[in-house]
Each structure stands twice: as structure tokens, then as C-alpha cells.
Amino acid sequence: MAKHLHELIVFSEDLSLINSPAFYDCVIHLICTEGECSFRYNDRIFTMSENDIAVISRPQLVTEIETDVDCKCEYIAASDKFLHNLLPANNYAIQGCVSLFDNPIIKVTDLDAGRFRTDLANIRNRIDNIDHRFYQELMGSLLQTMVYDLFDFHAKTNDNILTTDRVGYITTQFFTLIEGGRPKTQREVSHYAEQLHVTPKYLSDTIKRVTGTSISTHINNAATAIALEYLKNSNMSVSQIADEMNFSSLSYFSRFCVKHIGMSPVKFRTAGAKKKPRAKVS
């Protein structure tokens, strides 16, 4: 059974729950507000102190959570799919996810820590406002602000986020193709492997090992962002969009949207049209 949006966004101060199975499809956005804590993630131990931020894309990999007596934390867990659908195809997250999987900790200034806590408070204060007619858009805008602030914090200290060895080179080149909009028409792993002169298995294994996420997920996330942009901001028919994005049939495009957006393209557009305010008649 599909969950409502307000069930996919959680605010909590209980650090011990960040690896709860309920969060396995979520991204954790966490700040330590007092004291110190530590946890094992992706087979490494990380320590956080006051004002440190962590972005954890695979909560199921978190183990050995420890806190001192003064430790206080707060975090937002939000649906990974919903977050991806908020952002454009060409965004810092495509590269940043590589660095954050390797090291989820972001060191920030007191000012930036305050900004992030304000972002969390704004989300926390509106999570239960489900009677708002534009609840999805409201929460989307608040989460989007938080994510772009995190991009800014992370980018300040992570100019070079990939290594220069072969693995780093292949990963960089793959994301260059993704950022260039290639998933608009090319969504097969074999295409990217051919472009990079490696086997599909090598490319898939490399991207999974470096980012913690399957290569198909990266490709489909980018394709979904492109499809959403067309559906929201173009006058093209759904059939024309399917052709433009090189889907073999309209039904295949519809199935893709249902799987990755949560509804068919026709339903998505109909829902959007219903939410547009009508002009007043004088």
C-alpha cells in the first residue's frame, strides 16, 4: 500500500533510530547540537560533535551507534524518491552523493549550522499540516531549501570529490554523461559502458562500490527528473514526451512514470492542473 507523503517525512531527536527499517528508503539529514556521538557507516567509524552535519543515504549501513551523556541530535528522514523528484537533472547531488557515501560528515560554521537547524525547524513545524491544499508543494519547497543549503555547505569544502585513479576517472566520466542529459534517451547500462570502454559489469560494480547506489538508480533518477521537467513545463503531449525521450511506446513511458514518480504521466498532469488557482471572473 502506498504511503502518504506525511508518512515519508519524519523529524526525530532519537539517534538510536536512524538505522530503523522504516528509514531504509529514506535519506537522513542529521545535526549534532550538543556533545558527541559516533557510528559505523559503510565499514568506517565516524564521530560527530556540536554543529557537525551528516547526510546518510543508506541508513541500513549504520551500526554501532554510541553517544556521550551530553549528546543531543535532531534529524529529518525523508523519502529518497521524493527528494530526487524535487531536484533538476543537473545538480550537485549527482556528484555530491559520491563524496557523502564515502564520508557523510559535513563540517560547517556556526552560522551555517544555525541555517540548517532553521531548515529542520521549518520542516518539523509543517509536517503535520496535512490539510494544507498544497501540502506536497509546501513540504517539497521546505525540503528543497534544506537540500540546497546542504549542497552549499558541502561544496565549500569539497571542490574535488573524486580521486584521480582509474575508478575515480570512470566514475567522473559516468557522471559527466549523466549530467549532460544522456538519460533523456539512453537508459541502458550497456550504452554507458560502451562510451567509457569498459564492460557493463565493471561499470555497474564500480558505481555501486563508489556511491553505494546501483547504476540503474542513478540513470533512472536523472531520467525521472527530465520527464518531470517536460511534464511540468512543456506544452508537449504525453505521447510526444515519450517519443522525445526515446521510450519504445507510450505504455512503457507510463509504466516508467508510475514506478519512478508514483503515478502515470496523465494523472500527474491532471493533478497539477487541478491545483492551479482559477482566475477570478469580474
Side-chain angles (χ1 to χ4, degrees):
M1 180 180 295
K3 291 185 177 181
H4 296 291
L5 177 60
H6 68 275
E7 298 176 288
L8 301 176
I9 305 171
V10 176
F11 174 86
S12 179
E13 297 176 339
D14 189 344
L15 186 65
S16 68
L17 296 179
I18 63 172
N19 58 357
S20 166
F23 294 153
Y24 283 3
D25 293 325
C26 294
V27 180
I28 305 292
H29 308 84
L30 165 75
I31 185 167
C32 178
T33 57
E34 291 183 30
E36 290 190 352
C37 63
S38 66
F39 55 87
R40 181 178 292 276
Y41 180 61
N42 196 21
D43 292 328
R44 292 171 58 195
I45 295 291
F46 294 96
T47 300
M48 299 180 68
S49 55
E50 184 176 353
N51 286 344
D52 286 349
I53 294 172
V55 180
I56 302 172
S57 60
R58 293 292 176 272
Q60 59 268 42
L61 298 182
V62 174
T63 58
E64 301 177 30
I65 301 169
E66 296 185 5
T67 61
D68 65 20
V69 292
D70 300 319
C71 181
K72 292 183 180 179
C73 295
E74 51 189 57
Y75 60 90
I76 290 287
S79 162
D80 182 50
K81 179 181 288 188
F82 184 67
L83 289 171
H84 274 295
N85 289 348
L86 287 176
L87 303 170
N90 299 327
N91 60 74
Y92 187 82
I94 293 176
Q95 297 181 11
C97 68
V98 177
S99 178
L100 287 169
F101 182 69
D102 180 61
N103 180 1
I105 309 299
I106 306 174
K107 299 287 186 179
V108 300
T109 64
D110 291 346
L111 177 61
D112 285 345
R115 286 187 178 131
F116 183 66
R117 293 192 69 181
T118 297
D119 290 339
L120 294 185
N122 289 337
I123 296 168
R124 177 191 64 209
N125 292 337
R126 303 306 294 269
I127 285 178
D128 295 329
N129 192 192
I130 58 176
D131 58 342
H132 195 292
R133 289 192 178 187
F134 301 93
Y135 180 76
Q136 180 162 316
E137 289 80 3
L138 170 69
M139 296 309 299
S141 68
L142 294 175
L143 285 164
Q144 201 171 50
T145 298
M146 178 191 72
V147 170
Y148 278 120
D149 277 343
L150 287 169
F151 289 174
D152 177 58
F153 304 158
H154 189 254
K156 288 174 182 176
T157 54
N158 291 271
D159 291 331
N160 298 309
I161 63 174
L162 292 175
T163 60
T164 56
D165 60 13
R166 176 171 170 76
V167 168
Y169 174 79
I170 292 297
T171 305
T172 300
Q173 293 304 306
F174 169 71
F175 282 115
T176 297
L177 292 173
I178 293 292
E179 290 176 337
R182 195 65 65 97
K184 172 184 173 181
T185 58
Q186 301 291 342
R187 291 171 290 277
E188 297 296 328
V189 175
S190 58
H191 169 80
Y192 296 89
E194 182 179 349
Q195 295 297 306
L196 299 175
H197 308 291
V198 296
T199 67
K201 185 179 187 307
Y202 177 85
L203 182 59
S204 296
D205 290 347
T206 298
I207 298 302
K208 176 69 174 179
R209 184 170 70 255
V210 172
T211 70
T213 301
S214 73
I215 188 171
S216 295
T217 297
H218 288 296
I219 295 169
N220 288 329
N221 283 341
T224 300
I226 294 168
L228 283 167
E229 188 68 17
Y230 275 122
L231 290 169
K232 291 177 181 177
N233 302 312
S234 84
N235 293 321
M236 297 171 64
S237 69
V238 172
S239 179
Q240 288 172 325
I241 296 172
D243 288 341
E244 183 74 10
M245 293 188 68
N246 198 31
F247 281 92
S248 58
S249 67
L250 178 57
S251 61
Y252 182 24
F253 178 55
S254 294
R255 290 195 300 273
F256 179 89
C257 290
V258 169
K259 181 177 181 179
H260 297 286
I261 298 176
M263 63 182 72
S264 71
V266 172
K267 187 175 181 180
F268 178 86
R269 276 192 160 170
T270 301
K274 287 179 179 179
K275 291 175 181 177
K276 292 180 181 178
R278 295 182 179 180
K280 293 183 178 179
V281 178
S282 58

